[in-house]
Amino acid sequence: MSDIHNLSVIEPPVRLYFSGHEQTSPSHACGPGIWPHYLLHYVLSGTGTFQSEKQSWRLAAGDAFLIIPGVISAYAASSTDPWEYCWIGFDGRDAADILSACGLTAASPVYHSSSPASVDGKAAEGRISPVSGSTDAAPCGLSLCSVKVGEAQAAGDPVGECLLSINDMLYSQPGNTYLHLSLLYRFFSLLSPDAGNAQKNSSAYLQQALDYLQHNYAYVIKIQDVARYVGIDRTYLYKLFTRELGISPQQYLIRLRLSMAKRLLASTDLHITEISNSCGFADSASFCHHFQAHFSITPSQFRKEPGREPVM
């Protein structure tokens, strides 16, 4: 029999273990201790405190705190206004990078909402819904059980609503992994500083535009499409390109298409028309015109010359 400790396991990008929802009792406390995976709590109402290593925070509705694997942490509800929260337990090879993009790290494990939400109603007893087949222990010794979320709803709070949806879906559709992950990624998107088209710096806008062009050059696209995707005005997009790259967005797109066409000419036997279509040109005549204007040689002549290497 093979040793189970030596079995190779491919870690997924993100793995959701469980979610939960609880209205705590006054002074309800958990820890100090360590957990084997990420554990993120989002406060729906009430107040409490969170400690991670030697730091301490007092949190209220709209705030969230992250417990990091292996880091000593503790949290406790207020004695007079105990909090109600949702939580998720997860890990995965991309988890740390995703959390960092959301502004959550070991040095900064707390999220503060810009508009704290109110919650209508109160939950009954603490409850938690596991991913089907999960055997991980729940926070603070709560037993894992498939109980549907109660009456509490995070009215007008998309972050809270998303977490409640995760908890509900884990119960109602326990085997639908892709649905669970789609809701989890939506939750991360709501925590991200870029959520809701928040202000980004110019380099971030430019990189997003370049990524869009890299993945869409083969299609019929307009520069207005790029600006709309990035979330900025076309005039501002033009200024970014000319300032940082010295060319307009349209010129960059043409050069990108020509670069990809040159690679295909050098490495394949595709017909000129097929290459033209594959690189987003309107027709082969337009492709040949741009190619000769840029490289001072026709596509056919380039293909016939020995030793040609595709370059940008």
Side-chain angles (χ1 to χ4, degrees):
M1 178 179 295
S2 61
D3 186 350
I4 61 173
H5 297 291
N6 293 327
L7 294 178
S8 177
V9 177
I10 300 176
E11 187 177 20
V14 180
R15 173 170 42 203
L16 178 63
Y17 288 121
F18 53 77
S19 73
H21 173 218
E22 182 179 11
Q23 169 61 63
T24 64
S25 57
S27 301
H28 171 267
C30 192
I34 62 172
W35 281 260
H37 43 249
Y38 291 101
L39 190 62
L40 192 149
H41 289 67
Y42 182 81
V43 183
L44 297 171
S45 65
T47 61
T49 58
F50 169 61
Q51 293 181 329
S52 180
E53 295 186 320
K54 297 182 180 180
Q55 298 185 78
S56 180
W57 296 264
R58 182 158 183 83
L59 306 176
D63 295 334
F65 59 91
L66 176 69
I67 293 175
I68 297 174
V71 175
I72 297 176
S73 305
Y75 50 101
S78 165
S79 60
T80 57
D81 185 21
W83 51 18
E84 176 186 8
Y85 49 49
C86 309
W87 69 82
I88 51 174
F90 61 96
D91 65 10
R93 67 173 185 268
D94 292 345
D97 289 338
I98 293 172
L99 289 167
S100 178
C102 294
L104 291 168
T105 63
S108 180
V110 169
Y111 163 88
H112 294 290
S113 171
S114 58
S115 55
S118 61
V119 178
D120 295 330
K122 294 289 183 179
E125 297 179 358
R127 60 209 63 181
I128 186 164
S129 301
V131 174
S132 180
S134 174
T135 58
D136 293 84
C140 294
L142 292 175
S143 61
L144 292 172
C145 55
S146 296
V147 181
K148 191 173 182 179
V149 170
E151 297 298 322
Q153 294 295 325
D157 176 13
V159 178
E161 289 175 348
C162 186
L163 275 178
L164 289 174
S165 295
I166 292 174
N167 196 51
D168 186 36
M169 290 299 103
L170 286 177
Y171 162 73
S172 62
Q173 300 189 44
N176 198 337
T177 302
Y178 293 122
L179 175 60
H180 305 158
L181 288 177
S182 72
L183 291 171
L184 181 59
Y185 277 106
R186 170 168 169 72
F187 171 69
F188 290 140
S189 77
L190 294 171
L191 291 187
S192 170
D194 290 341
N197 287 327
Q199 184 65 37
K200 294 183 285 189
N201 59 43
S202 59
S203 62
Y205 284 128
L206 180 61
Q207 186 58 56
Q208 193 174 359
L210 295 177
D211 289 342
Y212 181 88
L213 291 171
Q214 285 283 344
H215 290 91
N216 292 278
Y217 69 86
Y219 305 107
V220 178
I221 57 174
K222 299 178 180 179
I223 300 306
Q224 181 60 40
D225 298 328
V226 184
R228 187 182 301 113
Y229 174 80
V230 176
I232 59 178
D233 182 78
R234 176 174 177 169
T235 302
Y236 182 52
L237 181 67
Y238 177 87
K239 290 180 179 179
L240 285 179
F241 270 77
T242 54
R243 185 181 70 202
E244 301 296 331
L245 303 178
I247 57 176
S248 70
Q250 185 64 37
Q251 289 172 321
Y252 180 90
L253 175 59
I254 292 174
R255 292 188 185 185
L256 176 61
R257 285 170 167 168
L258 289 173
S259 174
M260 301 309 298
K262 206 170 186 181
R263 291 177 184 273
L264 292 176
L265 285 168
S267 61
T268 74
D269 293 326
L270 291 174
H271 191 274
I272 297 298
T273 300
E274 294 170 330
I275 292 177
S276 170
N277 294 337
S278 300
C279 295
F281 291 96
D283 49 52
S284 57
S286 175
F287 165 51
C288 292
H289 169 75
H290 282 292
F291 194 95
Q292 186 167 12
H294 190 74
F295 299 115
S296 300
I297 191 174
T298 68
S300 298
Q301 290 171 334
F302 170 80
R303 174 170 268 172
K304 292 176 181 178
E305 290 194 3
R308 288 283 187 173
E309 294 294 336
V311 293
M312 183 66 178

